[in-house]
Amino acid sequence: EVQLVESGGGLVKPGGSLRLSCAASGFTLSSYNMNWVRQAPGKGLQWVSSIRSGSTYIYYADSVKGRFTISRDNAKNSLFLQLNSLRAEDTAVYYCARGTTMSDVWGQGTTVTVSS
Amino acid sequence: DIVLTQSPGTLSLSPGERATLSCRASQSVSSSYLAWYQQKPGQAPRLLIYGASTRATGIPDRFSGSGSGTDFTLTISRLEPEDFAVYYCQQYGSSPLWTFGQGTKVEIK
């Protein structure tokens, strides 16, 4: 079964850091571009970052540029998102999603709460 | 930046009725790069339509997509109980790479 499973979310104070992970199974991660999308409580979907299959190209939303870092370990079939300098407005469910122009496979999400 | 505006914000319909959801872009969008998703409470989004009109694997044929340029439509021909959810359109571009509409909630009347 094709599956993405996120982990690493939690409660963190403003200014703190977290590292999110996304484990892929049922397909070869190295063949796909990957993305992170977030959803604040009661709000819509917001694209966060994308990474090409070979990590050659990386993209970020302006709201997270300079604070978040996307990476991948194709050998371990894993995707990562390092979140630094966290703000209250980063509170959201973070989804990893497979695809380039759209996503046909999404994880169940991991919740990040930034609060003092 | 391209902005996607979905309308209406909420659609109140009964099972068996037809639902027509609109997604309007602030600039022309390639049809190849327009997708629709369904999201139910507590769940991840599910891909319904990509390339503006191609149904994703396993999506029933009561879901159809159409449109080009700046105006796109998702139609659900006859609403089933499981179709009541929030629907998002999404485009792939340059910066930002992905843009989502704000969503349309289809609720039971």
Side-chain angles (χ1 to χ4, degrees):
Chain A
E1 179 191 6
V2 172
Q3 198 172 9
L4 294 168
V5 178
E6 301 94 336
S7 60
L11 175 62
V12 61
K13 289 181 169 53
S17 299
L18 277 177
R19 189 185 195 218
L20 306 184
S21 299
C22 172
S25 59
F27 70 99
T28 303
L29 189 75
S30 61
S31 298
Y32 292 88
N33 300 328
M34 296 296 295
N35 313 274
W36 288 96
V37 175
R38 68 185 181 183
Q39 187 169 35
K43 303 297 184 182
L45 301 168
Q46 181 190 25
W47 171 74
V48 173
S49 181
S50 298
I51 185 169
R52 293 295 185 243
S53 56
S55 302
T56 47
Y57 294 95
I58 287 174
Y59 307 87
Y60 297 100
D62 287 345
S63 57
V64 307
K65 203 172 292 182
R67 301 187 300 121
F68 291 7
T69 303
I70 191 172
S71 62
R72 62 194 296 161
D73 185 338
N74 288 335
K76 295 184 177 179
N77 249 20
S78 294
L79 175 72
F80 305 101
L81 187 67
Q82 178 69 40
L83 288 64
N84 295 333
S85 303
L86 282 162
R87 307 165 179 167
E89 55 265 34
D90 296 318
T91 294
V93 175
Y94 285 73
Y95 296 101
C96 62
R98 180 181 88 169
T100 304
T101 62
M102 48 70 187
S103 177
D104 61 341
V105 180
W106 296 67
Q108 86 289 350
T110 188
T111 300
V112 172
T113 303
V114 184
S115 174
S116 55
Chain B
D1 293 6
I2 292 179
V3 176
L4 299 180
T5 302
Q6 292 186 239
S7 61
T10 302
L11 201 50
S12 298
L13 295 168
S14 300
E17 289 194 292
R18 182 184 188 90
T20 303
L21 288 66
S22 172
C23 176
R24 181 160 290 178
S26 59
Q27 305 171 38
S28 186
V29 171
S30 168
S31 296
S32 298
Y33 299 153
L34 194 287
W36 289 92
Y37 300 87
Q38 176 193 68
Q39 188 180 34
K40 297 179 180 179
Q43 297 185 16
R46 177 173 74 141
L47 179 67
L48 297 176
I49 301 285
Y50 63 94
S53 61
T54 301
R55 274 188 300 277
T57 303
I59 301 303
D61 60 8
R62 64 180 181 273
F63 291 92
S64 63
S66 63
S68 64
T70 60
D71 289 297
F72 297 88
T73 300
L74 174 70
T75 301
I76 311 171
S77 59
R78 288 173 58 87
L79 282 164
E80 297 288 339
E82 62 268 27
D83 298 337
F84 292 92
V86 179
Y87 293 84
Y88 295 94
C89 58
Q90 174 250 321
Q91 72 93 28
Y92 167 79
S94 54
S95 180
L97 210 59
W98 287 5
T99 303
F100 292 91
Q102 83 280 15
T104 290
K105 182 179 182 180
V106 178
E107 65 175 23
I108 299 176
K109 187 174 181 180

